[in-house]
Amino acid sequence: MWPSFSLNRPLIWLGLAALAAASLLPLLTLRLVALVIVAIGMIDGWRQIRLEHQRRRLSEQALELSQDGMMITDAGNRILTVNPAFTQITGYTLDEIAGLDPSAFSAGRHDKAFYDRYWQTLQATGRWEGEIWNQRKHGDQYPEWLRVQACHDDKGRVSHYVGLFTDISRHKARERDLRRIGFEDPLTGLPNRRRLHDLLASRLRHLRAGEGLDLALIDIDGFKAINDGLGVDSGDRLLARFGQRLAAQVAGGIVGRLGGDEFMVIRTTTFDDHEKWVASLRQHLSEPFEIDGNSLRLGLTIGSCRAPEDGNDSGVLFQRLESALYSAKRHGRNHDRRFRPSLEVENDRQLAVINELRQALAQGSQLEVYYQTQHRLDDGELIGMEALLRWHHPEQGLILPNEFIPLAERHGLMPALGNWVIGQVVAQISIWRAQGLTAVPVWVNISALQLIQGDLEASLLSTLRQYRVPAQFLGLELTESVLLDERAGDISPRLEALRREGLQIAIDDFGTGYSSMAYLKRLPIDKLKLDREFIRALPHDHADAAITSAVLAMAQGLHLDVIAEGVETAEQRDFLLARGCRHVQGYLYARPQPASAVESRLRQATATVYP
Ligand code: C2E
Ligand code: MG
Ligand code: MG
């Protein structure tokens, strides 16, 4: 295309006039002057052409570089030119489409009214902008964001239309994904908690006379252990299969995943066979799952309820299902429990207790840390202490931690309560150190919820710093269930970091959980606390004797210290000593006592160490 140049520059006109005059002028000198003017006019004209050419090339290059597709049509809306991005997006080259009307690419998704509005706007305002669906050469449809501008000639008539567009199909797909993520569990493709709420509400609204809803909340027992044993990918596959099997079982019902290993099932029914229905779910799911060559038979804990008997509001039903599941869990694994109103009465009582505990924590005066000494088996020497929390209730007297710690955990009070204990213990250690009393580490029990909800590491280290207590005087007791709790994240690096600071780590109640020795080997820990349950019937119970001996032998192999807890008799002590156990804690040596009472013990120990 040869560029045009405008004739509205005076030098060009002057040159043209001089050209006409040059042939008419009589005098040679005048003719020469006219020719010089012609030359100047020509040079100016040439420069102008070059500038115009350059400008055009620049704008062509800019369009070539553009990621946006561009198309220019004439006044009759026939395609004149397109840029390379157009070809890239649509698949059409200019040769294939020159002269066509752009409506040839329409995906057929918009109706006539849409195009009428399009032309009306374009004619009225000279512009149109919006989303439009077109079709690529290879047939797939895509959305584009199109901006069209009408160009006018000198007389104000439309001469061209310039259209610029962006392919927004990827953006759209993301939007769709995001929308789906809001309602769908990405792992199983099942409805998520939010969606389940909506679906339940809708089912409740559409219940007809004589119909009811059966609802169940299913939790896979020990899923964390499966995840750790087989790996997260296999764990994910198991969850997906579990969801599929459940969905196949309750055709016409609703199956969703609430998160983790919790699934929910809802069915509309006219039968009054709730218990049978739950049993059939259990039976169907108890068939083994084949995952990576492993045949897994799962234990399930199920909480269930019925609507409208147990409530006709989706929020209330969710709550009741959860309290039924929680109650089933407290009964141990592989149990199911239907919601009973007494569960709620129990909940109310618990709420009253938790409020009192909250006040006790704010005041601090009803709570006290007791200390139970730990000893070396062969010579009885003091080697440490365990801090055990006590609540002196103004009416009920002494309440033991097993009664209120689970409540504190359930009601979000555990991080605060745990921090209170840590603060008390570290302050007490610093007092004893200031008094020159013998320094043995104090072991503090740490709940899973402190690791999940609170910033345990930061509060531990800042408390130690505040009281200038070296970290090796503090040990942490974590139960196996804490280590296996997926909500605490990957626990190993966290323990490793704490140990680097100098803190010691023990596994409490060892033997009651599900961790294998192989798993323990990978964990950065110092000590195992053999659970009291195994010690109780020693040495007469053969099974306990065998377990204790095996744990002691394995721990030796792993270079782990073992402390036996709950040692009450000399017989138990002798048995443990004979099996190579080195440390003990139990009523045989001392009961948990207030700090003041344990002090005399510390003085004795100091006297033996520094006579
Ligand atoms: P644990 O950590 O396994 O603590 C040992 C429990 O065994 C203590 O019960 C202790 O009093 C008891 N015990 C010790 N020696 C003997 C014995 O020879 N015979 C018998 N029968 N029992 C013995 P306690 O103080 O009632 O604590 C129960 C549980 O509460 C603890 O079990 C621990 O898991 C939890 N707990 C206590 N204090 C705290 C705390 O400050 N924070 C957290 N998160 N948990 C705590
Ligand atoms: Mg403990
Ligand atoms: Mg214990």
Side-chain angles (χ1 to χ4, degrees):
M1 231 181 306
W2 187 249
S4 63
F5 67 100
S6 75
L7 293 176
N8 58 1
R9 292 175 58 113
L11 275 176
I12 292 171
W13 286 114
L14 200 63
L16 286 174
L19 186 63
S23 56
L24 301 172
L25 283 170
L27 278 176
L28 190 65
T29 45
L30 282 179
R31 281 191 190 176
L32 276 174
V33 170
L35 281 175
V36 169
I37 293 172
V38 170
I40 290 172
M42 278 176 66
I43 290 167
D44 184 57
W46 176 243
R47 259 190 45 219
Q48 213 197 120
I49 288 168
R50 277 193 36 181
L51 273 177
E52 195 68 34
H53 190 70
Q54 225 172 18
R55 214 175 295 139
R56 188 173 282 258
R57 276 200 57 75
L58 275 175
S59 54
E60 273 173 12
Q61 276 172 2
L63 280 175
E64 274 171 29
L65 276 178
S66 164
Q67 303 267 343
D68 285 349
M70 191 217 53
M71 165 176 62
I72 300 177
T73 60
D74 63 14
N77 207 28
R78 280 176 298 268
I79 295 172
L80 293 178
T81 186
V82 297
N83 71 345
F86 176 99
T87 306
Q88 213 167 24
I89 295 170
T90 64
Y92 291 110
T93 60
L94 179 60
D95 294 344
E96 294 169 308
I97 51 161
L100 288 183
D101 189 299
S103 62
F105 315 127
S106 167
R109 291 206 185 192
H110 307 286
D111 56 8
K112 185 172 170 297
F114 174 89
Y115 289 106
D116 287 348
R117 269 197 309 278
Y118 168 94
W119 281 111
Q120 273 163 17
T121 312
L122 197 53
Q123 272 154 12
T125 65
R127 292 174 57 81
W128 186 88
E129 178 164 352
E131 185 184 313
I132 199 163
W133 280 80
N134 278 338
Q135 189 161 350
R136 297 186 223 270
K137 183 176 172 185
H138 298 297
D140 58 319
Q141 304 188 343
Y142 70 98
E144 62 182 41
W145 189 258
L146 175 66
R147 278 157 293 159
V148 186
Q149 171 89 48
C151 303
H152 299 91
D153 62 15
D154 295 345
K155 298 203 173 85
R157 286 178 308 217
V158 171
S159 62
H160 298 90
Y161 296 102
V162 180
L164 270 175
F165 61 92
T166 320
D167 179 353
I168 53 171
S169 50
R170 250 201 242 143
H171 168 85
K172 276 278 198 198
R174 255 197 70 218
E175 213 175 70
R176 201 172 48 237
D177 282 350
L178 287 178
R179 229 189 351 255
R180 255 192 19 213
I181 287 167
F183 293 106
E184 198 176 85
D185 164 47
L187 182 66
T188 57
L190 295 171
N192 65 9
R193 179 183 286 270
R194 200 168 119 196
R195 179 91 183 110
L196 280 167
H197 261 288
D198 295 346
L199 291 169
L200 174 57
S202 147
R203 287 263 167 147
L204 285 166
R205 270 197 310 276
H206 293 103
L207 275 186
R208 282 189 294 253
E211 280 184 346
L213 293 182
D214 283 320
L215 299 109
L217 201 55
I218 306 177
D219 184 287
I220 303 176
D221 293 339
F223 179 71
K224 174 78 162 79
I226 296 172
N227 237 1
D228 285 331
L230 297 183
V232 179
D233 287 345
S234 303
D236 283 355
R237 267 198 292 284
L238 174 63
L239 289 175
R241 297 257 188 91
F242 189 89
Q244 279 163 8
R245 194 188 287 181
L246 201 51
Q249 158 83 347
V250 282
I254 295 165
V255 172
R257 177 168 170 237
L258 292 183
D261 54 355
E262 261 183 35
F263 289 81
M264 184 167 165
V265 189
I266 306 170
R267 80 158 181 178
T268 306
T269 181
T270 49
F271 296 118
D272 186 14
D273 60 350
H274 185 77
E275 276 71 26
K276 232 171 97 184
W277 176 69
V278 173
S280 74
L281 288 178
R282 175 182 287 291
Q283 199 209 344
H284 195 68
L285 294 166
S286 66
E287 294 296 316
F289 286 84
E290 305 296 331
I291 301 286
D292 301 340
N294 295 294
S295 184
L296 297 176
R297 207 177 275 279
L298 303 178
L300 304 173
T301 303
I302 306 179
S304 70
C305 71
R306 247 186 89 89
E309 291 91 320
D310 298 329
N312 51 16
D313 170 89
S314 70
V316 169
L317 287 166
F318 258 76
Q319 251 174 24
R320 296 192 160 167
L321 268 180
E322 269 161 11
S323 62
L325 179 68
Y326 183 76
S327 160
K329 277 188 185 174
R330 269 187 306 179
H331 270 254
R333 302 172 153 240
N334 224 14
H335 258 77
D336 27 88
R337 160 111 342 156
R338 179 171 170 182
F339 170 80
R340 280 178 288 110
S342 63
L343 290 179
E344 281 205 324
V345 174
E346 201 181 313
N347 276 350
D348 288 350
R349 206 178 57 79
Q350 288 175 354
L351 274 182
V353 176
I354 201 73
N355 279 334
E356 289 175 337
L357 181 58
R358 200 168 272 132
Q359 278 166 19
L361 182 59
Q363 294 160 0
S365 58
Q366 295 174 23
L367 298 174
E368 188 179 3
V369 177
Y370 275 28
Y371 296 86
Q372 187 179 26
T373 55
Q374 301 173 331
H375 300 264
R376 204 152 57 203
L377 246 178
D378 49 8
D379 58 4
E381 192 176 329
L382 181 74
I383 51 138
M385 280 182 270
E386 178 174 10
L388 294 160
L389 185 56
R390 297 291 180 264
W391 181 8
H392 303 285
H393 193 277
E395 284 129 37
Q396 296 175 33
L398 186 72
I399 307 185
L400 290 176
N402 284 340
E403 273 187 63
F404 62 86
I405 284 189
L407 277 184
E409 289 182 331
R410 258 205 299 155
H411 292 90
L413 208 57
M414 202 55 227
L417 194 59
N419 280 344
W420 185 87
V421 172
I422 291 166
Q424 293 290 307
V425 169
V426 175
Q428 187 62 65
I429 299 174
S430 92
I431 292 171
W432 283 333
R433 274 167 54 82
Q435 292 174 355
L437 293 178
T438 191
V440 288
V442 179
W443 295 81
V444 178
N445 292 285
I446 301 294
S447 136
L449 277 297
Q450 282 172 270
L451 279 160
I452 298 160
Q453 296 172 345
D455 191 354
L456 178 72
E457 288 88 339
S459 71
L460 269 173
L461 298 178
S462 81
T463 310
L464 287 169
R465 230 170 277 134
Q466 184 191 342
Y467 290 98
R468 295 175 200 284
V469 169
Q472 65 264 29
F473 291 113
L474 202 61
L476 306 181
E477 293 192 1
L478 309 166
T479 59
E480 284 174 81
S481 57
V482 173
L483 302 175
L484 296 176
D485 198 314
E486 57 209 349
R487 294 168 300 174
D490 189 358
I491 201 84
S492 274
R494 295 182 69 180
L495 298 186
E496 193 62 76
L498 286 167
R499 279 178 93 212
R500 268 200 304 276
E501 295 286 342
L503 286 112
Q504 302 182 64
I505 313 281
I507 309 282
D508 204 354
D509 304 341
F510 182 73
T512 55
Y514 305 89
S515 49
S516 61
M517 274 284 174
Y519 176 66
L520 280 185
K521 214 167 106 183
R522 287 189 277 128
L523 281 179
I525 52 175
D526 302 278
K527 216 174 222 193
L528 294 183
K529 288 193 85 176
L530 192 53
D531 191 58
R532 194 164 77 226
E533 273 303 297
F534 299 114
I535 310 297
R536 205 165 35 86
L538 286 183
H540 310 292
D541 186 296
H542 292 308
D544 286 350
I547 290 171
T548 306
S549 308
V551 170
L552 285 166
M554 281 189 287
Q556 250 169 17
L558 293 174
H559 304 292
L560 281 174
D561 265 343
V562 176
I563 179 166
E565 63 181 0
V567 176
E568 294 183 354
T569 67
E571 260 187 320
Q572 290 167 342
R573 180 194 61 198
D574 295 342
F575 176 88
L576 290 162
L577 190 58
R579 299 299 140 110
C581 181
R582 293 175 51 222
H583 301 150
V584 276
Q585 173 182 346
Y587 293 172
L588 181 64
Y589 294 83
R591 291 195 172 241
Q593 318 162 65
S596 56
V598 93
E599 242 166 58
S600 59
R601 199 76 186 235
L602 285 177
R603 287 218 166 77
Q604 267 175 25
T606 314
T608 8
V609 179
Y610 310 108

